[in-house]
Amino acid sequence: MFGVDMIPHLSKTGPALDLFKAKFEVVMDEARSEQAASMTEFHWLGHKFPISNAKTRVSILKAIGAVLGQRTVERNQLFVSIAKSKR
């Protein structure tokens, strides 16, 4: 997923990145809205939960994205530390 891969770069700062972050958030919000429109249930620990509220759907997708983003950051940090240890 493009969005999750970009999350580590969003912690950087700079004038050009501010514009990029704003545009990126708009695109991600649109993608979440599109996903939320087709999401009718949520699977968790082997159970299915119906979701009828659009705001709830978007919130769940944002939470999933945040978790995946954090995992990506942690994985990248691990790769960096492994690379540094092999020097």
Side-chain angles (χ1 to χ4, degrees):
M1 173 185 257
F2 172 76
V4 173
D5 293 339
M6 292 303 298
I7 290 174
H9 302 290
L10 296 178
S11 63
K12 298 177 183 177
T13 58
L17 284 172
D18 291 340
L19 178 59
F20 173 77
K21 287 179 188 179
K23 289 183 178 185
F24 181 75
E25 282 303 318
V26 169
V27 170
M28 290 303 296
D29 285 341
E30 289 174 5
R32 284 186 200 108
S33 294
E34 289 174 11
Q35 284 181 311
S38 64
M39 185 178 184
T40 59
E41 58 188 20
F42 179 65
H43 298 261
W44 185 61
L45 297 175
H47 300 282
K48 294 179 185 178
F49 299 93
I51 304 170
S52 58
N53 184 295
K55 288 183 180 180
T56 302
R57 291 178 189 147
V58 171
S59 295
I60 289 171
L61 290 171
K62 284 183 179 183
I64 290 169
V67 169
L68 292 175
Q70 182 59 36
R71 287 184 181 169
T72 300
V73 169
E74 291 169 354
R75 183 187 69 220
N76 290 345
Q77 289 172 339
L78 176 63
F79 289 155
V80 168
S81 66
I82 290 170
K84 286 181 178 179
S85 69
K86 290 186 177 184
R87 288 185 191 177

